[in-house]
Amino acid sequence: MKRMNEKGSRGEADKSGFCSPLIVAGPCSAESPEQLLNVAQELKSIGKVCYLRAGVWKPRTSPNSFEGHGIEALKWLKEVKQEVGIPFATEVATEKHVYEALKYGADLLWIGARTVSNPFAVQEIASALRGVQIPVMVKNPLSPDLKLWEGAIKRLQMVGINDIGAIHRGFTTWHSSPFRNSPLWEVGLQLKALNPNIKVISDPSHIGGDWKYVELLSNRAISLGFDGLMVEVHPSPGDALSDANQQLTPAQFRVMLKNLFDPNGFKTDLMLELRTEIDAMDELLVWALSQRMAIASEIARVKVKRGQNIVQPDRWQEVLKRVVGKGSEMGLRSEFLKKLFNSIHRESLQQQEVTIGEKSEMTKFS
Ligand code: PEP
Ligand code: MN
């Protein structure tokens, strides 16, 4: 199996066998021989790209979406690799995918977020890799479960894979957010701290879900100490068969890498990065508040049924004590928490009054 340090035009290899910084780039999906050749030539000429990425089996949310060209696309990747001289990476989710990808000369395999969430699938892949030396990267599972992520990595270590990397691609967001997947940087950094032999890179394309966030998230990842990036790059993003919103053109990607790694490059505004993260947090807070108010209305109905008062001072003192205690452990001032929660409580009582009012209106007319 070719090692990263055999190609001069890419970054320096370190002892893990991965180059540094570890840059993986290419289209979300392999769509045609022309698309792959075009993007591979562009990426090769940029010079910093360690692996061309392209998905050939796509784990799609809806059954009627484009699911990849499979083995046909592996043939294109093999040819492009020979013609351009760039190693390629693809996603595997089953034992069969592993055999096929190896047969067509894949240089790096990655396990996608949905697959990592399923230990049976990860074990199947690991078992198929026993006795093979190929670098493998493991995306984070959909939920921020560090143990599950580490478990997948362990399964690969146990079959003897030496070069293992991890990809922080963000976590499922169930509330509205500017990002497609929430970046929980500390989870990736924790994985790195606990596993110093593992290269941990970030995938700003799947975190952001929008090309306009990719540079900002990349800058953040690199400044936090991530070891590299996996970025989706497509010759014509608007025509992409999957993830059209989040792919960069090769020209945009070239500029982004210069900005990130050239000391004279233009750095994205840290303020803008942080403000986008604050926007995401604010949307989470608003979502949590609306959920809380909805539960309070439910409580009001139960109180009416039981003939209880809306205002229950003892219960409120208990709640306040608990949140102030929890918040102080997390570095929040008690005065601030008291003010905030008293205000939430007032709104909640008002909401409960309205709910009960509505209920008595309903009884009046029924
Ligand atoms: C991908 O890399 O195209 C992909 C499907 O990513 P994820 O597993 O992170 O959703
Ligand atoms: Mn994608």
Side-chain angles (χ1 to χ4, degrees):
M1 195 58 55
K2 265 209 165 73
R3 287 307 194 89
M4 291 309 308
N5 49 2
E6 289 174 5
K7 288 265 175 224
S9 66
R10 282 168 282 134
E12 295 282 296
D14 60 22
K15 61 181 184 321
S16 75
F18 284 124
C19 56
S20 176
L22 173 53
I23 308 291
V24 184
C28 177
S29 303
E31 296 171 1
S32 69
E34 297 72 32
Q35 173 228 26
L36 290 176
L37 186 60
N38 177 314
V39 78
Q41 282 167 337
E42 294 273 4
L43 295 175
K44 174 80 178 177
S45 80
I46 293 174
K48 276 196 168 60
V49 179
C50 313
Y51 296 95
L52 164 72
R53 66 145 281 159
V56 304
W57 298 283
K58 300 301 301 174
R60 303 311 299 277
T61 304
S62 312
N64 291 327
S65 314
F66 170 65
E67 289 184 320
H69 286 296
I71 293 172
E72 189 62 14
L74 285 174
K75 293 181 189 160
W76 306 334
L77 281 164
K78 184 178 177 189
E79 278 167 24
V80 164
K81 171 179 163 178
Q82 274 158 2
E83 190 162 340
V84 181
I86 188 164
F88 78 88
T90 201
E91 174 176 346
V92 290
T94 66
E95 178 183 40
K96 182 174 180 296
H97 293 169
V98 172
Y99 295 138
E100 296 297 345
L102 293 175
K103 187 160 105 196
Y104 288 95
D107 300 280
L108 177 143
L109 304 177
W110 85 81
I111 307 181
R114 292 159 192 78
T115 309
V116 176
S117 305
N118 175 358
F120 289 128
V122 176
Q123 188 55 52
E124 181 185 310
I125 293 168
S127 302
L129 284 168
R130 190 181 291 281
V132 179
Q133 239 0 295
I134 183 167
V136 183
M137 300 209 73
V138 182
K139 288 206 173 191
N140 64 251
L142 298 168
S143 59
D145 184 341
L146 186 62
K147 288 262 176 277
L148 189 58
W149 199 0
E150 281 189 310
I153 290 168
K154 272 201 194 99
R155 288 176 199 276
L156 294 166
Q157 286 168 332
M158 283 167 68
V159 297
I161 298 290
N162 289 331
D163 297 336
I164 301 177
I167 307 172
H168 167 250
R169 48 77 80 194
F171 299 89
T172 298
T173 313
W174 66 97
H175 51 87
S176 91
S177 162
F179 300 133
R180 178 178 176 190
N181 291 292
S182 298
L184 298 177
W185 304 109
E186 65 284 3
V187 178
L189 294 172
Q190 218 176 330
L191 182 86
K192 193 168 148 59
L194 293 169
N195 302 271
N197 300 328
I198 304 273
K199 293 276 158 204
V200 185
I201 69 171
S202 188
D203 173 345
S205 311
H206 287 88
I207 295 175
D210 190 318
W211 67 269
K212 69 173 188 271
Y213 295 132
V214 171
E215 181 160 352
L216 161 163
L217 290 163
S218 301
N219 195 3
R220 182 100 161 101
I222 296 300
S223 47
L224 285 170
F226 281 79
D227 299 304
L229 301 167
M230 177 184 260
V231 183
E232 289 190 337
V233 181
H234 190 287
S236 169
D239 301 320
L241 298 179
S242 58
D243 289 348
N245 283 345
Q246 69 193 35
Q247 308 202 53
L248 298 183
T249 63
Q252 287 171 322
F253 180 62
R254 183 187 292 270
V255 172
M256 180 181 99
L257 284 189
K258 183 168 167 23
N259 288 343
L260 285 177
F261 297 110
D262 184 329
N264 299 320
F266 170 83
K267 297 283 171 284
T268 57
D269 186 2
L270 179 64
M271 182 69 106
L272 186 63
E273 290 163 32
L274 296 174
R275 283 193 167 155
T276 310
E277 286 190 30
I278 282 279
D279 291 350
M281 285 300 153
D282 286 345
E283 288 191 33
L284 174 59
L285 287 173
V286 168
W287 176 84
L289 284 173
S290 79
Q291 295 297 302
R292 195 188 189 288
M293 292 302 163
I295 297 172
S297 296
E298 280 297 307
I299 288 186
R301 289 186 196 103
V302 176
K303 283 177 180 164
V304 168
K305 248 197 214 142
R306 295 188 179 178
Q308 290 174 342
N309 282 339
I310 287 293
V311 185
Q312 306 215 340
D314 292 351
R315 161 71 182 156
W316 182 243
Q317 286 316 311
E318 254 172 55
V319 171
L320 212 49
K321 195 169 155 212
R322 193 173 44 79
V323 292
V324 168
K326 269 254 171 270
S328 312
E329 282 169 23
M330 297 178 191
L332 296 167
R333 282 188 318 113
S334 346
E335 277 320 299
F336 161 67
L337 289 168
K338 278 184 203 152
K339 246 193 243 163
L340 176 67
F341 276 86
N342 277 324
S343 158
I344 291 174
H345 188 225
R346 268 196 305 280
E347 178 63 22
S348 170
L349 290 178
Q350 204 160 338
Q351 182 94 25
Q352 295 194 22
E353 297 288 356
V354 171
T355 307
I356 288 172
E358 272 169 15
K359 198 174 157 58
S360 46
E361 286 294 301
M362 275 163 52
T363 11
K364 209 160 47 186
F365 294 111
S366 61

